[in-house]
Amino acid sequence: AQSVTQLGSHVSVSEGALVLLRCNYSSSVPPYLFWYVQYPNQGLQLLLKYTSAATLVKGINGFEAEFKKSETSFHLTKPSAHMSDAAEYFCAVSDHGSSNTGKLIFGQGTTLQVKP
Amino acid sequence: DTGVSQDPRHKITKRGQNVTFRCDPISEHNRLYWYRQTLGQGPEFLTYFQNEAQLEKSRLLSDRFSAERPKGSFSTLEIQRTEQGDSAMYLCASSLMIYQPQHFGDGTRLSIL
C-alpha cells in the first residue's frame, strides 16, 4: 500500500531564503507523486508532478522537486521564498497499484510561513 | 477549461438534517473523486467514479453517505442524518487518465450545529 510522510508540520523561512519541504513515500509500484498547494478556504492547486520521466521536476511559481528512489523521497524546493508562498503544502502519491483507481494518498501537510 | 465547480461553498445545518453537495468536473474528465478534509489534515479519499460507475468506496463512507454520478457528468454527495463528526471540507476532483493530475474544486465546507 502507498503512503506519504511529510516531515515538519510547520516550516518558517525569511523572505528570499531557500524553501525546503520534505516528503517521503512508500509504494509497492513505481510511484506517481504530486505536490499541491492550498490557500485558506480554497481547493488544492497542482504545483508539480512526477510520473516516471525526469527525476528533477519543475513546477509553477519557481518550485521544483527531485525524485530520489534510493531515499524514497520527493522533497519540494524553491530558491527564494516570496510572501505569497505562505500556504499549506501537500505531498501525495497515486494509488495505481492494487485498486488502480488513481486515488491520491496525501501527507498531513506542511504549513509554510514566510517572514518579511 | 472552466475548472471543477462545487456547490455550495458553505453549508451550515443542524445535527440530524440531510445535506447534498454537487460537483461539476472538467467536461472531458471521466474520472471523478470525492475527498474529505478535516482541520489540519490532508484530504482523505471517500469515493471514485469512472464515468457513471462508482468503482471504489472508502471505509470512511458510512451507510449515511451516498454518492451518484448520473450519465457520467456531475456528481452529488449526500449525507443523511448528519453528525458533529461530519463537519469538514468536502473536496471534489477530476482527471482524464490515471497518471494525470487531479484538478480540485474549491470544496464545500460543512458545519454541523
Side-chain angles (χ1 to χ4, degrees), chain B residues 53-92:
Chain B
Q54 188 176 18
L55 297 183
E56 184 171 341
K57 294 192 291 186
S58 162
R59 287 173 295 176
L60 292 175
L61 216 65
S62 74
D63 292 344
R64 297 184 297 106
F65 287 71
S66 62
E68 293 182 340
R69 192 183 182 194
K71 302 179 182 178
S73 55
F74 70 92
S75 176
T76 58
L77 178 67
E78 180 182 16
I79 309 174
Q80 296 183 327
R81 306 180 303 282
T82 53
E83 301 174 354
Q84 289 286 347
D86 296 333
S87 295
M89 173 81 90
Y90 290 85
L91 294 163
C92 176

Side-chain angles (χ1 to χ4, degrees), chain A residues 32 34 36 38 41 43-44 46 49 51 90 96 99-104 106-108, chain B residues 9 31 33 35 37 40-43 45 48 56 91 98-99 101-102 104-106 109:
Chain A
Y32 298 153
F34 305 87
Y36 284 87
Q38 187 177 34
N41 296 314
L44 281 70
L46 179 72
K49 63 179 180 180
T51 54
F90 292 97
H96 60 282
S99 70
N100 203 35
T101 63
K103 67 187 179 191
L104 294 176
F106 286 88
Q108 294 218 327
Chain B
R9 290 293 313 279
R31 294 171 170 266
Y33 304 81
Y35 295 87
Q37 184 180 23
Q41 302 294 318
F45 169 76
Y48 162 67
E56 184 171 341
L91 294 163
I98 193 169
Y99 52 84
Q102 293 177 24
F104 283 80
D106 281 339
R109 182 169 295 283

Side-chain angles (χ1 to χ4, degrees), chain B residues 17-36:
Chain B
Q17 297 296 304
N18 300 342
V19 294
T20 300
F21 311 141
R22 178 181 170 121
C23 170
D24 287 89
I26 294 171
S27 58
E28 65 268 27
H29 287 183
N30 59 352
R31 294 171 170 266
L32 187 146
Y33 304 81
W34 284 97
Y35 295 87
R36 182 170 70 185

Side-chain angles (χ1 to χ4, degrees), chain A residues 84-103:
Chain A
S84 62
D85 294 327
E88 188 83 11
Y89 291 80
F90 292 97
C91 181
V93 63
S94 170
D95 180 7
H96 60 282
S98 55
S99 70
N100 203 35
T101 63
K103 67 187 179 191

